[in-house]
Amino acid sequence: MTIRATRARITATALVLASLPALVATPAAAHDNGVRLAFLGERELPNAMPFQDTTVGGLSAISYDSKSGTYYLISDDRSQTDPARFYTARIGFAHGALGDVELTGTHPWLRADGTTFPPTSTATSTVAPDPEGIAVDPHDGSLVWTSEGERIVPSGAPALLGDPWIRRATTTGAYTGQLPLPPQLHMNAQQFGPRQNQTLEGVTFTPDGRRIVTAMEDPLYQDGDDPTPEHGALTRITVHDARTGLPLAQYAYPLEPLFATPPAGSTDTNGVSDIVALGHDRFLVLERASIYSDNNWKARIYLVDLHGATDVLGRDSLTGASTRSLKPARKTLVTDLSDVPGLSRVDNVEGITLGPRLPDGSRTVVLVSDNNFAARQVTQVIAFAAHGI
């Protein structure tokens, strides 16, 4: 794929408009919950927007580089529309409102040999990445990104398995390394380990750059069922040493129940879609759920505290009698996007990052939605001013 050096300006369509699940475990105590969000506006990018020989869509995560003022947005295109890739952007704020959203570039993710990723093929046992999370290293501005891997287990045929991963890359997408995973996160043809399309959904650096933190979207098979309208679930947040890449700790995270009753036979559920660090053990976590057949979406932001939570690194399962004293991370609802006055709609909101500070000292929080390359959905950029972080 050729990357054009010219800077193209695409201005978004103006749309600026001024209970924990029932679990055996008891959450750990939180430090505080004093985060308040004020809505600053939204922008929509045109559906199927062409940009530098790609089709913009599937934007599943966003990360801000405070040194350069650049936003990085990852597409979850599995090399089906265009090679797996990410975009760069500028996002403006003026007079207490969200300004223009301007895409400035795009780059494909590259394999270790410098080539782009081909699409998944069972015929050739090829597994394309499923890009979901992206984070900027605050030390050197390089990137870390996650893939959910693949798990296709047909009856009477060989399984096609691809492990999730956490990879390092340059700001032009070149491969520079990969972090080791805890053994429980490797794909398995048996019902043990991650479910298909429910693995490493979010990634963030702690502000000091010493830790890389990832969030699983939903439970491992052995950690219990996915959330339903009747119950929530436990998924996992893993902390890695940013220098060595080694996993240092892991914590159970309590997911909310599904917000509505899905059609019979559907796979609708609730899960973590992104995470952004506020400090060593405090985070904003974005949970996203849907009743997909109705194009009905729910997105909620939680303040999450790992302080005092049980380290479950090395535990194969989060269920059973041995886990009754387990303390999950503590979380407090910050906002339900369905309750935000002035927000035109809630779509498949998947990404969250901290943007620049505003003149009043508040910190911007920027969200992005994944339109699934579907005409009935939209690519939204939504912004808030956060107080208390």
Side-chain angles (χ1 to χ4, degrees):
M1 181 177 183
T2 301
I3 304 300
R4 295 210 298 261
T6 56
R7 177 183 176 94
R9 177 179 175 127
I10 304 293
T11 301
T13 304
L15 280 175
V16 175
L17 309 167
S19 78
L20 292 178
L23 300 168
V24 173
T26 302
H31 290 320
D32 63 81
N33 58 2
V35 176
R36 306 183 318 279
L37 297 182
F39 181 54
L40 298 180
E42 64 178 298
R43 291 283 194 264
E44 288 185 9
L45 299 181
N47 185 57
M49 183 177 76
F51 180 76
Q52 294 189 2
D53 300 325
T54 72
T55 298
V56 177
L59 301 183
S60 294
I62 183 170
S63 187
Y64 176 66
D65 181 356
S66 61
K67 294 179 180 177
S68 68
T70 299
Y71 290 83
Y72 292 86
L73 303 100
I74 195 169
S75 172
D76 68 1
D77 184 356
R78 305 192 67 177
S79 295
Q80 294 176 318
T81 302
D82 299 296
R85 63 198 176 279
F86 64 95
Y87 294 90
T88 56
R90 296 279 178 176
I91 298 175
F93 296 92
H95 309 296
L98 175 65
D100 289 341
V101 175
E102 176 190 346
L103 295 186
T104 57
T106 183
H107 297 275
W109 297 115
L110 300 179
R111 297 185 286 183
D113 64 3
T115 59
T116 58
F117 289 94
T120 294
S121 169
T122 54
T124 60
S125 299
T126 300
V127 175
D130 184 358
E132 292 291 349
I134 191 169
V136 177
D137 187 329
H139 282 165
D140 61 12
S142 64
L143 304 177
V144 165
W145 64 289
T146 65
S147 166
E148 290 200 284
E150 184 58 279
R151 184 181 184 275
I152 300 174
V153 186
S155 177
L160 182 62
L161 303 176
D163 278 339
W165 71 47
I166 311 162
R167 287 196 169 182
R168 300 179 187 269
T170 68
T171 55
T172 57
Y175 172 87
T176 59
Q178 185 165 323
L179 279 63
L181 293 177
Q184 295 80 9
L185 302 193
H186 291 281
M187 284 295 187
N188 195 313
Q190 307 302 314
Q191 290 194 349
F192 185 91
R195 293 172 164 89
Q196 184 187 41
N197 198 35
Q198 294 184 353
T199 72
L200 294 175
E201 188 77 9
V203 63
T204 185
F205 279 87
T206 54
D208 62 9
R210 298 177 60 187
R211 300 287 184 263
I212 296 170
V213 182
T214 62
M216 291 285 291
E217 182 174 6
D218 282 296
L220 304 176
Y221 276 109
Q222 65 270 25
D223 290 342
D225 294 334
D226 283 343
T228 71
E230 290 73 38
H231 64 77
L234 291 177
T235 189
R236 302 190 186 212
I237 291 175
T238 306
V239 180
H240 293 254
D241 185 291
R243 183 178 62 84
T244 66
L246 294 174
L248 298 176
Q250 191 177 77
Y251 304 97
Y253 174 84
L255 290 164
E256 294 297 303
L258 183 59
F259 67 99
T261 301
S266 82
T267 58
D268 294 328
T269 190
N270 178 52
V272 173
S273 62
D274 208 357
I275 182 171
V276 61
L278 304 179
H280 181 74
D281 53 13
R282 295 174 73 241
F283 303 84
L284 293 179
V285 169
L286 179 63
E287 290 188 32
R288 179 277 329 270
S290 73
I291 305 299
Y292 187 75
S293 61
D294 295 336
N295 199 30
N296 185 8
W297 300 91
K298 172 74 75 173
R300 290 168 284 199
I301 301 171
Y302 291 89
L303 176 65
V304 175
D305 197 333
L306 302 182
H307 179 75
T310 304
D311 185 352
V312 299
L313 186 66
R315 291 199 191 189
D316 283 341
S317 174
L318 302 182
T319 62
S322 64
T323 64
R324 286 180 181 169
S325 62
L326 183 153
K327 289 184 180 294
R330 178 67 180 266
K331 72 178 192 180
T332 305
L333 180 66
V334 175
T335 192
D336 183 328
L337 267 64
S338 300
D339 299 331
V340 173
L343 183 60
S344 64
R345 63 186 289 179
V346 178
D347 207 275
N348 181 23
V349 181
E350 287 206 7
I352 185 170
T353 193
L354 301 180
R357 289 200 178 273
L358 297 176
D360 66 359
S362 61
R363 188 72 182 268
T364 52
V365 175
V366 183
L367 312 177
V368 69
S369 71
D370 172 1
N371 69 348
N372 290 313
F373 293 92
R376 70 176 185 170
Q377 294 182 240
V378 296
T379 299
Q380 291 173 294
V381 175
I382 304 167
F384 295 91
H387 300 266
I389 61 174

